[in-house]
Amino acid sequence: DRAIGLENFLKEQKYLDQFYARQFLMEGEATAVMLQLIFDKQNKKLEEDEDLLLIIKEKLSGYSELTYSGYAHGARFIQEAIKTLGWQKLDALYKKPPQAMKELMHPEIYFGKKEETKKMDWSRPVFKGWHKFYQNSLGEFSIRMWLERFFDKEEAEIAAEGLKSDEIILYSREDKIEPLTIFLTEWESTEEAHEFWNAYQKLQDKKWKDKAKKQEEKDYIIWYSDTQNDFIALNQNLLLIASSAKL
């Protein structure tokens, strides 16, 4: 903390996904140091041990999924960093931290062992007559945690994996009390997009049951009632979700 200034380090982020990446970088290093102190008594080295995700999942089984998963992914990222940089150069991670949880959860991307293609630029969606008042990026980690509220862990992991970029945007209009919510996602492949499409459709069917009418077409679905409309559209590896009192 004296060397880096962790409070400011956490503040220097724009999106939720970036905040989590920095938070679990810190927590991951703390967890890695704790584990190494335990391993010292067993004459073991952290970088030579098995996958820390499995170890921490077992040790923290009584904690929430968010807790063990964030700490575990962070510790595994540090484990890979030690193999690549060594313990003495871990401070370099704070000068160039992971930009998203995807890099933390898949350290092969951060350390250049797997090339990541250019992401979609979501900065310019415009809807005539609507004013943008909130914008954020959730990332693979947050989407997976959200899905786990409705599905088992394996199904949620499959549905969230492969996310390339995302943006959630809220719009307002003077004649509308309820905002228009737009959630845009880009996936690594058409197959990955379909997995999320199927999971979201299943979730919406659970939510509405017999309370809303459903219009289902080849590349879009609308659930609409007297109070709210939900819309999802799929175009190859791009998926759009919209929700409003009236679309």
Side-chain angles (χ1 to χ4, degrees):
D1 183 39
R2 288 196 300 269
I4 295 157
L6 297 180
E7 186 175 353
N8 288 331
F9 176 75
L10 281 179
K11 288 180 180 178
E12 295 170 358
Q13 45 75 39
K14 184 179 179 182
Y15 293 135
L16 178 65
D17 195 29
Q18 293 173 326
F19 175 84
Y20 273 144
R22 293 188 176 211
Q23 179 183 1
F24 289 121
L25 170 64
M26 292 165 44
E27 302 291 3
E29 184 179 1
T31 303
V33 171
M34 176 186 71
L35 289 172
Q36 184 57 66
L37 287 171
I38 296 172
F39 288 172
D40 281 346
K41 298 176 182 179
Q42 304 168 7
N43 294 317
K44 293 168 58 179
K45 291 185 178 180
L46 189 75
E47 60 269 34
E48 297 173 355
D49 206 77
E50 59 188 292
D51 193 333
L52 290 183
L53 275 178
L54 300 175
I55 297 174
I56 297 174
K57 182 176 181 179
E58 180 182 333
K59 299 297 183 184
L60 297 182
S61 59
Y63 290 78
S64 70
E65 175 70 11
L66 176 66
T67 300
Y68 102 71
S69 188
Y71 279 56
H73 283 295
R76 187 179 66 165
F77 179 84
I78 294 297
Q79 184 183 39
E80 188 63 34
I82 296 166
K83 294 177 184 178
T84 306
L85 304 173
W87 279 100
Q88 299 303 319
K89 295 183 179 179
L90 290 185
D91 283 1
L93 300 174
Y94 294 86
K95 296 176 182 177
K96 187 184 176 183
Q99 293 300 302
M101 279 298 289
K102 187 179 183 71
E103 293 185 6
L104 193 92
M105 295 168 72
H106 307 280
E108 65 274 12
I109 295 175
Y110 179 89
F111 292 105
K113 297 176 182 179
K114 178 182 177 183
E115 185 177 352
E116 187 172 23
T117 54
K118 187 176 181 181
K119 296 179 180 179
M120 182 70 70
D121 179 9
W122 297 116
S123 62
R124 299 178 61 189
V126 174
F127 293 88
K128 188 175 181 180
W130 293 85
H131 168 69
K132 183 194 302 184
F133 70 90
Y134 177 82
Q135 191 166 354
N136 210 327
S137 176
L138 303 181
E140 180 181 338
F141 181 74
S142 295
I143 291 174
R144 179 177 159 186
M145 293 301 107
W146 169 61
L147 289 173
E148 285 191 11
R149 294 169 54 193
F150 308 98
F151 305 114
D152 61 48
K153 291 180 176 63
E154 184 177 355
E155 191 173 359
E157 183 177 356
I158 291 171
E161 193 172 9
L163 180 71
K164 192 173 178 182
S165 66
D166 76 278
E167 205 79 17
I168 184 166
I169 310 168
L170 270 62
Y171 296 88
S172 65
R173 202 165 71 181
E174 290 183 1
D175 61 337
K176 296 290 181 184
I177 298 175
E178 296 293 330
L180 168 63
T181 303
I182 300 292
F183 184 42
L184 304 158
T185 59
E186 177 189 19
W187 299 84
E188 296 288 353
S189 67
T190 301
E191 182 182 357
E192 301 280 8
H194 269 281
E195 287 173 350
F196 183 74
W197 161 280
N198 292 333
Y200 187 81
Q201 183 181 168
K202 187 176 177 181
L203 188 157
Q204 285 294 96
D205 287 340
K206 282 183 178 181
K207 168 187 171 182
W208 286 112
K209 294 183 180 179
D210 299 325
K211 299 177 183 178
K213 296 180 181 179
K214 182 179 179 182
Q215 179 183 343
E216 190 169 358
E217 305 294 341
K218 181 180 178 181
D219 54 1
Y220 72 87
I221 303 172
I222 305 174
W223 294 265
Y224 54 95
S225 69
D226 295 335
T227 58
Q228 185 179 354
N229 291 346
D230 289 336
F231 172 84
I232 180 170
L234 179 66
N235 184 352
Q236 296 183 7
N237 70 323
L238 302 177
L239 193 145
L240 178 149
I241 295 171
S243 181
S244 178
K246 192 70 176 176
L247 289 175

